[in-house]
């Protein structure tokens, strides 16, 4: 089974480092997606409760996380005078809002199947509002806090782009019989993560660009995602009402990782050195052609246009 580092692409920017990436001509924009949850079972990866819950991690934490990310990029918009980057940030905010609402729909479906998602959702709301909010600051303090959040989200977007590439190119979940609608959802999301992989980073570099802050926020992002993942796995496993979910979720997770059904969480550490190279740019990872080809055939992303044509 392919490892996550197998997807690292050839750099397309100068070795000295680039603050902007302008090789791609298409515009980033939110897509009108539609997901039908009827018939999606609790364990939509058959006989793999922990693999299912690794995907559920996205449904659990992303609605609030992407809300915070969208708010931060929107706050940065007035500072971005570069016309193309301004347009990309607007498209990024729209895509993230669509991701959040789609994962919220999945979360509501899980609640209908007997999983109480509200306690963890409230904790995520607290994290977003109390920790990642604008805090009512003014002047230099307000700008510094904006830069800190931009750095944090740029690092997190690096991780989501790497996972997005894995979702697009590794057949493990499809081979495991994952429900086709849920498979389409995660691949659509992964494709858009690859599509807008450079936007948060470019916005950070435009508004601030401090290398010291880039290092600090990368380490903080990695630690935060790891803690959130472990806490969420424990929570989701306890909330799973199935009598066939088994025991000892960490051992199940290790087994799923060894079989290539989920990414190895070590990538939260191994991806730090590439991200912190002075010459790094997000255009160095992910295959845009693969992402755009999937988006062109994604059932959810094309359902509205098909309905109109019909």
């Amino acid at each position: 089974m392919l490892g996550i580092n197998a997807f690292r692409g050839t750099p397309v920017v100068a070795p000295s480092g680039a603050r902007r990436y302008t090789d791609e001509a298409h515009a980033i924009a939110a897509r009108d997606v539609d997901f039908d949850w009827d018939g999606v079972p609790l364990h939509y990866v058959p006989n793999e409760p922990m693999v299912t819950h690794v995907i559920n991690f996205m449904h659990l934490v992303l609605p609030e996380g992407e809300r915070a990310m969208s708010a931060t990029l929107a706050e940065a918009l007035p500072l971005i005078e570069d016309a193309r980057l301004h347009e990309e940030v607007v498209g990024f905010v729209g895509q993230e809002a669509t991701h959040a609402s789609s994962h919220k729909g999945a979360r509501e479906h899980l609640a209908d199947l007997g999983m109480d998602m509200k306690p963890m959702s409230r904790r995520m709301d607290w994290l977003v509002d109390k920790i990642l909010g604008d805090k009512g600051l003014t002047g230099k303090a307000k700008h510094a806090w904006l830069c800190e959040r931009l750095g944090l989200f740029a690092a997190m977007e690096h991780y989501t782009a790497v996972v997005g590439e894995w979702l697009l190119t590794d057949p493990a979940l499809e081979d495991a019989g994952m429900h086709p609608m849920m498979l389409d959802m995660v691949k659509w999301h992964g494709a858009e993560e690859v599509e807008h992989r450079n936007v948060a980073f470019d916005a950070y570099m435009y508004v601030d660009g401090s290398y010291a802050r880039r290092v600090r926020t990368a380490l903080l992002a990695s630690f935060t995602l790891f803690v959130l993942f472990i806490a969420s796995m424990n929570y989701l496993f306890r909330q799973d009402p199935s009598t066939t979910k088994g025991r000892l979720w960490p051992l199940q997770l290790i087994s799923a990782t060894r079989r290539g059904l989920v990414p190895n969480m070590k990538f939260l550490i191994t991806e730090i050195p590439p991200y912190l190279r002075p010459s790094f740019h997000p255009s160095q990872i992910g295959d845009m052609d693969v992402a755009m080809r999937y988006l062109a055939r994604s059932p959810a992303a094309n359902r509205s246009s098909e309905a109109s044509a019909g």
Side-chain angles (χ1 to χ4, degrees):
M1 197 66 64
L2 292 173
I4 233 170
N5 286 331
F7 306 121
R8 183 162 307 287
T10 301
V12 295
V13 293
S16 58
R19 292 171 64 90
R20 296 288 291 110
Y21 179 52
T22 58
D23 286 357
E24 289 154 9
H26 75 280
I28 296 171
R31 292 172 175 82
D32 184 14
V33 295
D34 182 31
F35 297 102
D36 181 5
W37 303 107
D38 289 344
V40 178
L42 179 63
H43 297 155
Y44 45 80
V45 183
N47 304 312
E48 297 286 354
M50 280 313 300
V51 177
T52 297
H53 292 320
V54 170
I55 304 298
N56 286 342
F57 170 68
M58 295 192 294
H59 307 322
L60 187 62
V61 306
L62 288 186
E64 288 76 18
E66 294 187 318
R67 173 167 64 88
M69 196 177 304
S70 296
T72 300
L73 270 291
E75 186 180 334
L77 265 177
L79 304 176
I80 299 174
E81 297 179 354
D82 180 284
R84 177 177 172 128
L85 181 56
H86 193 281
E87 176 190 274
E88 289 179 340
V89 170
V90 171
F92 175 92
V93 170
Q95 287 190 346
E96 292 296 281
T98 304
H99 296 172
S101 63
S102 299
H103 286 288
K104 186 175 181 181
R107 192 163 69 189
E108 291 169 352
H109 177 68
L110 293 173
D112 291 339
L113 294 177
M115 294 187 65
D116 184 7
M117 310 293 278
K118 289 183 179 179
M120 193 67 175
S121 299
R122 286 194 291 266
R123 293 171 198 164
M124 287 301 301
D125 277 330
W126 178 87
L127 177 65
V128 166
D129 295 334
K130 301 299 183 182
I131 305 299
L132 296 176
D134 63 14
K135 299 182 181 297
L137 300 171
T138 59
K140 292 183 178 180
K142 179 181 179 66
H143 182 77
W145 178 230
L146 171 63
C147 293
E148 198 74 13
R149 286 178 289 153
L150 286 173
L152 181 66
F153 290 133
M156 288 186 174
E157 280 293 289
H158 173 60
Y159 292 125
T160 59
V162 171
V163 173
E165 182 75 358
W166 180 83
L167 289 167
L168 283 172
T169 55
D170 196 304
L173 293 175
E174 187 172 5
D175 292 346
M178 185 174 179
H179 190 279
M181 200 235 44
M182 192 64 78
L183 182 65
D184 178 43
M185 180 182 184
V186 298
K187 285 195 169 189
W188 154 76
H189 189 162
E192 290 199 342
E193 291 297 331
V194 172
E195 181 186 23
H196 68 223
R197 67 202 188 283
N198 67 289
V199 178
F201 184 88
D202 283 342
Y204 170 70
M205 294 298 291
Y206 187 95
V207 174
D208 182 64
S210 163
Y211 186 76
R213 179 175 276 121
R214 183 168 145 193
V215 172
R216 180 173 62 252
T217 52
L219 296 173
L220 180 58
S222 184
F223 176 76
T224 300
L225 287 172
F226 178 76
V227 171
L228 278 176
F229 180 77
I230 296 301
S232 297
M233 289 302 98
N234 186 57
Y235 178 84
L236 288 164
F237 189 77
R238 287 190 291 106
Q239 289 298 321
D240 188 331
S242 173
T243 58
T244 60
K245 65 181 180 181
R247 302 175 62 187
L248 300 175
W249 69 262
L251 294 181
Q252 294 187 45
L253 181 61
I254 291 170
S255 172
T257 301
R258 287 176 174 171
R259 289 179 289 130
L261 291 171
V262 298
N264 192 318
M265 291 305 293
K266 288 191 297 185
F267 86 96
L268 290 173
I269 297 174
T270 59
E271 282 296 322
I272 291 177
Y275 180 78
L276 294 183
R277 286 199 313 265
S279 62
F280 172 81
H281 189 270
S283 59
Q284 296 169 7
I285 63 171
D287 190 322
M288 185 66 75
D289 184 62
V290 170
M292 299 310 295
R293 284 178 178 276
Y294 185 80
L295 290 169
R297 68 177 189 272
S298 163
N302 293 280
R303 189 167 289 131
S304 58
S305 59
E306 291 171 358
S308 298

